[in-house]
Amino acid sequence: MRVLNLLKIAYKAIVLNKLRTLLTMLGIIIGVASVIAMLAIGEGSKESIRTTISSMGSNMITVRPGEDDRGPARGSGGDVQTLTLNDYKEIKEKSTLLNYITPVVNGGGQVINGSNNWPSTIYGVYPEYLDIKVVGLQSGSMFTDAEVQSASKVVLLGQTVVDNIFPDGEDPIGKLIRFNSIPFTVIGVLEEKGENTFGQDQDDIVIAPFSTVQKRILAIDYLNQIMASAASEDDAPEAVTQVTEILRAQHKLLDYEDDDFTVRSMEELISTFSSTSEMLTVLLVAVAGISLLIGGIGIMNIMYVSVKERTKEIGLRMAVGGKGSDILMQFLIEAILISITGGVLGVILGLSATVFIEKFLHWPTSVAMYSIVISFAVCAITGIFFGWYPARKAAALDPITALRYE
Amino acid sequence: MPVALMKVHLCHKDREGKDNNIMSKEIIKIENLKRDFTMGTETVHALKGISYTIHEGEFVTIMGSSGSGKSTMLNILGCLDQPTSGTYEIDGVSMKDLSRNELATIRNEKIGFIFQSYNLLARTSAIENVELPLLYNSKVSTEERRERAIKALEMVGLADRLHHTPAQLSGGQQQRVAIARSLVNNPVLILADEATGNLDTRTSYEIMSLFQELNKQGITITFVTHEPDIATFSSRTIVLKDGNIIQDYLNDNIQSAAEELAKLPKEDH
Ligand SMILES: Nc1ncnc2c1ncn2[C@@H]1O[C@H](COP(=O)(O)OP(=O)(O)OP(=O)(O)O)[C@@H](O)[C@H]1O
Ligand SMILES: [Mg+2]
């Protein structure tokens, strides 16, 4: 009976102060929702970077021309011409820790099939490329070393290229297409890989024998990069050192001279990227923390002020016989109802925002349980405490003092 | 009523006390009551040591100029405020011996208090305002609460304004809602602070006749007023000046508010 009355009183007071209730709830809703959504973005990108990189083959080692001065996400280093086929041959001959190795040249151009054309990138490689990149074939077969020697005009296409130049769904194997003006026979289609973490379409690719691309398409005598794979993941760091030594000797670099090339293992790349994503998460956590703090202060303010404002009401309730504990229970129930409702709505909004971000912005997200628990708890506890604390102070006054409060 | 019948003009509480002990008990007994308000360095002595006794069934008016301490005194009688010094015994129990919760229960069950400034809950209907004291009384069921609130509002002539909020009521109507709220808990003691201050003559006579009716049923009433004609409806008058009692006399010619009401010209309403 008593509890029922208190619930009734609290409910009436909430309905009576709709705007105040709404504002308080809004603070809680936004606080909770933003923290959940932000942490979901942080967790999501971290996870997706991890999976992408490990699917790329963690034994991979790349050698690019030019000094390592532009960070991990640099381009192909096309205008630096310090890497040659002789470098490749030297590494292949001297290195003991590599399984596969291939020179790489690449360039952009139009892939043309009749009236359909599509801009893409052609990679000139050795057959080992597939083993290094850990890609399989959907159909057809890889070109052979002999075809590389003879600079055969054969290509393998990525799925995106196939979709765009064979829009009717015909089988591309055996078809004659052109890259820029040069005719090629399609001998295979690469396994689909989808987008990587950075939004690049890994299927928008054309692969052809190294010599064909280097001589017939690009007409260059240097390499864009050398790709290799270490015998095992554990060998990768040592392989990097070994390759570096071989190349320094090959380039006749003196001790004080810097490398004119860059050797990287995938593992290094992983750690670079995961530390980047780690930083992103830390940043997002910081932003989330700040918004939680600001949300908390907002809740605190509005709760404190609105309860303070009702000191007169508290005085009246005591004057007509409300006990201190009745008043406190009323405000506690009010604060709990408002905070819990706001918190639940905030969780719902945060989850919806996360779904929205994933669906429409195509950002990877992953909702962490801890973000729901922490944001909900912080907002609810702040709301409840600052609904209760000023009420407690008002309820400790003599009724007439509270009634006189302006 | 016994007090009302006494023809003696009293100034000495001793004699008054002796005479009345035979017939009825003391419901209010204050002795050397002082109330100081400190504001910074300044101290206002609102009550400077007043003493009197009110017996069950008395109808007392408190008069005095503005600022003489009437509201201050009534607030203490209503257990809403604590005296700085002196004693206050309500129904034989010293206020000092009562806990905050016990005081709340007394306010809830024994006292009907009418504030000078009404103190109604804003944005809340008349009936819910009147129901408020009963919400804090777990012995009263929801249905009974509603019934009693409606009855109290009928008694003050507001049966047709049950669902109006204070903002939708005139000053006099708000005052009557406050009066209804003070009656709803069937108090044994009604403390009214200028309960008719905002009412026209007819309505205030109606309210006074209601109070006289309640008084006849045995409810003790203490009524603060500025209007001498209102005082003629009571059995005793206490006059305050600057925090002291300057007069305390029994009324030997109590007027009937109902009769006065009948005498009023019709066009007055
Ligand atoms: N809370 C307070 N703080 C400071 N001074 C106060 C307070 N309450 C009352 N006073 C002072 O005490 C004195 C008596 O005030 P009180 O309200 O009792 O007068 P009153 O007789 O009810 O007057 P009125 O007829 O105008 O209502 C006044 O001088 C007033 O200024
Ligand atoms: Mg007053």
Side-chain angles (χ1 to χ4, degrees):
Chain A
M1 177 68 191
R2 191 107 220 159
V3 178
L4 202 73
N5 274 1
L6 282 171
L7 276 171
K8 219 176 274 176
I9 292 169
Y11 170 75
K12 274 182 192 161
I14 285 177
V15 173
L16 205 62
N17 300 289
K18 283 195 198 73
L19 186 66
R20 174 185 66 87
T21 309
L22 206 79
L23 286 175
T24 315
M25 273 203 214
L26 211 62
I28 298 177
I29 290 171
I30 291 175
V32 171
S34 61
V35 170
I36 290 177
M38 252 179 289
L39 289 181
I41 294 172
E43 285 292 319
S45 58
K46 205 158 81 179
E47 242 168 59
S48 118
I49 285 173
R50 223 178 273 137
T51 51
T52 314
I53 289 179
S54 61
S55 79
M56 272 156 60
S58 46
N59 300 356
M60 198 164 91
I61 288 171
T62 59
V63 184
R64 289 170 188 274
E67 285 171 58
D68 177 17
D69 58 358
R70 278 186 254 171
R74 55 177 309 182
S76 63
D79 49 349
V80 189
Q81 306 181 2
T82 52
L83 220 54
T84 65
L85 199 60
N86 281 338
D87 293 338
Y88 157 76
K89 285 178 183 153
E90 186 75 6
I91 297 170
K92 189 177 166 85
E93 196 188 303
K94 297 217 170 127
S95 144
T96 54
L97 296 164
L98 300 177
N99 270 359
Y100 307 105
I101 179 161
T102 175
V104 179
V105 285
N106 56 267
Q110 293 288 326
V111 194
I112 304 160
N113 174 35
S115 59
N116 301 309
N117 62 35
W118 178 252
S120 190
T121 309
I122 196 163
Y123 285 81
V125 294
Y126 279 22
E128 282 86 345
Y129 177 83
L130 294 189
D131 298 309
I132 297 168
K133 289 286 271 187
V134 206
V135 210
L137 295 180
Q138 266 185 62
S139 59
S141 56
M142 188 60 176
F143 45 78
T144 60
D145 283 330
E147 280 170 311
V148 175
Q149 289 304 315
S150 61
S152 289
K153 289 185 269 183
V154 292
V155 285
L156 289 95
L157 304 178
Q159 189 58 46
T160 305
V161 179
V162 172
D163 290 343
N164 281 286
I165 65 168
F166 294 99
D168 304 331
E170 342 157 35
D171 182 8
I173 308 290
K175 296 273 157 36
L176 207 63
I177 60 155
R178 282 184 294 137
F179 190 87
N180 290 347
S181 56
I182 299 154
F184 283 92
T185 306
V186 180
I187 57 163
V189 178
L190 297 171
E191 224 172 49
E192 240 178 293
K193 286 199 112 179
E195 281 184 8
N196 69 10
T197 321
F198 322 107
Q200 281 172 330
D201 182 359
Q202 301 178 87
D203 300 320
D204 189 2
I205 186 173
V206 178
I207 289 175
F210 169 74
S211 42
T212 318
V213 177
Q214 194 193 30
K215 287 179 195 141
R216 295 187 190 235
I217 295 181
L218 303 173
I220 53 173
D221 53 7
Y222 56 88
L223 305 180
N224 293 107
Q225 60 176 306
I226 295 169
M227 278 186 188
S229 77
S232 77
E233 220 174 298
D234 296 337
D235 288 332
E238 214 179 312
V240 168
T241 322
Q242 202 181 42
V243 169
T244 308
E245 275 162 17
I246 295 168
L247 276 181
R248 282 189 70 89
Q250 169 76 4
H251 289 185
K252 302 190 171 64
L253 293 175
L254 299 171
D255 279 351
Y256 61 85
E257 278 177 308
D258 286 334
D259 296 347
D260 58 355
F261 56 87
T262 309
V263 186
R264 275 180 178 283
S265 72
M266 210 56 193
E267 219 165 326
E268 264 180 82
L269 211 62
I270 292 175
S271 64
T272 316
F273 278 127
S274 39
S275 74
T276 311
S277 72
E278 206 68 61
M279 239 167 65
L280 183 77
T281 312
V282 168
L283 198 78
L284 285 170
V285 167
V287 173
I290 290 169
S291 58
L292 203 56
L293 186 75
I294 291 173
I297 292 172
I299 297 164
M300 186 175 102
N301 262 322
I302 197 144
M303 263 298 185
Y304 190 84
V305 170
S306 69
V307 174
K308 206 79 183 145
E309 223 178 54
R310 290 164 69 196
T311 304
K312 216 175 146 93
E313 176 194 328
I314 292 174
L316 175 66
R317 289 183 182 280
M318 290 194 290
V320 298
K323 297 188 172 75
S325 56
D326 295 336
I327 309 292
L328 266 185
M329 278 307 286
Q330 174 197 337
F331 279 82
L332 202 60
I333 292 170
E334 275 185 46
I336 289 173
L337 286 179
I338 291 175
S339 303
I340 300 285
T341 316
V344 169
L345 289 178
V347 170
I348 292 171
L349 184 71
L351 295 180
S352 321
T354 307
V355 170
F356 179 89
I357 288 167
E358 175 109 46
K359 268 233 160 79
F360 294 97
L361 300 179
H362 303 296
W363 291 2
T365 58
S366 159
V367 174
M369 198 57 209
Y370 76 89
S371 70
I372 296 182
V373 173
I374 290 178
S375 59
F376 189 94
V378 168
C379 290
I381 290 172
T382 318
I384 292 168
F385 180 77
F386 285 96
W388 167 82
Y389 179 69
R392 195 189 75 133
K393 275 174 79 177
L397 299 173
D398 277 323
I400 203 73
T401 317
L403 264 171
R404 287 194 174 203
Y405 181 84
E406 291 298 331
Chain B
M1 255 143 301
V3 185
L5 295 175
M6 295 202 331
K7 294 265 156 80
V8 211
H9 196 101
L10 278 175
C11 275
H12 295 285
K13 49 193 176 300
D14 283 347
R15 251 194 82 195
E16 185 199 8
K18 243 178 253 160
D19 288 347
N20 283 292
N21 271 342
I22 312 157
M23 286 161 271
S24 66
K25 59 179 175 176
E26 297 167 345
I27 191 155
I28 288 173
K29 183 175 182 191
I30 57 178
E31 227 156 304
N32 201 22
L33 202 69
K34 290 185 184 165
R35 181 66 169 99
D36 300 336
F37 293 107
T38 320
M39 295 170 302
T41 52
E42 216 178 317
T43 302
V44 178
H45 303 284
L47 298 176
K48 296 173 181 163
I50 56 175
S51 311
Y52 59 80
T53 305
I54 295 177
H55 293 86
E56 194 169 32
E58 272 194 282
F59 191 154
V60 182
T61 36
I62 314 269
M63 296 192 65
S65 54
S66 180
S68 55
K70 306 184 293 294
S71 295
T72 306
M73 192 186 77
L74 211 64
N75 290 338
I76 294 172
L77 297 187
C79 303
L80 300 171
D81 196 10
Q82 303 273 352
T84 308
S85 66
T87 57
Y88 170 30
E89 280 174 28
I90 178 161
D91 216 359
V93 188
S94 173
M95 189 186 182
K96 283 199 191 94
D97 300 336
L98 295 167
S99 70
R100 284 176 66 85
N101 280 352
E102 285 167 329
L103 287 174
T105 306
I106 288 177
R107 288 195 296 269
N108 188 241
E109 294 175 3
K110 301 272 189 271
I111 299 176
F113 200 99
I114 305 162
F115 295 94
Q116 194 168 4
S117 47
Y118 323 148
N119 287 327
L120 299 178
L121 276 184
R123 283 164 288 147
T124 303
S125 66
I127 185 155
E128 283 180 329
N129 261 297
V130 175
E131 277 183 342
L132 194 61
L134 300 183
L135 267 178
Y136 293 102
N137 186 342
S138 53
K139 283 170 255 168
V140 181
S141 70
T142 311
E143 301 78 48
E144 190 187 347
R145 188 165 70 222
R146 185 116 304 209
E147 262 167 43
R148 276 163 71 172
I150 293 173
K151 206 176 121 222
L153 280 163
E154 277 167 356
M155 277 156 76
V156 298
L158 284 179
D160 53 345
R161 293 285 188 276
L162 300 183
H163 300 289
H164 287 55
T165 65
Q168 298 163 340
L169 295 169
S170 73
Q173 287 169 332
Q174 290 178 44
Q175 190 154 43
R176 284 186 278 159
V177 174
I179 294 170
R181 184 180 61 196
S182 75
L183 304 177
V184 78
N185 58 345
N186 299 333
V188 295
L189 173 65
I190 291 177
L191 301 168
D193 200 348
E194 306 201 18
T196 57
N198 233 322
L199 304 179
D200 56 89
T201 315
R202 175 173 285 274
T203 319
S204 60
Y205 281 13
E206 276 168 7
I207 294 296
M208 287 319 289
S209 90
L210 172 64
F211 279 145
Q212 281 189 326
E213 194 60 43
L214 293 167
N215 182 238
K216 271 195 203 114
Q217 291 164 19
I219 298 175
T220 312
I221 299 176
T222 302
F223 197 99
V224 170
T225 184
H226 277 296
E227 294 149 73
D229 60 329
I230 295 289
T232 61
F233 299 131
S234 69
S235 60
R236 176 179 168 191
T237 303
I238 294 173
V239 183
L240 290 184
K241 186 169 192 260
D242 295 334
N244 289 310
I245 296 179
I246 52 165
Q247 270 181 301
D248 180 352
Y249 57 90
L250 292 181
N251 188 353
D252 45 9
N253 183 19
I254 303 168
Q255 305 292 310
S256 157
E259 281 169 23
E260 293 299 312
L261 190 61
K263 277 192 235 158
L264 283 177
K266 290 237 161 57
E267 61 267 41
D268 198 48
H269 193 50

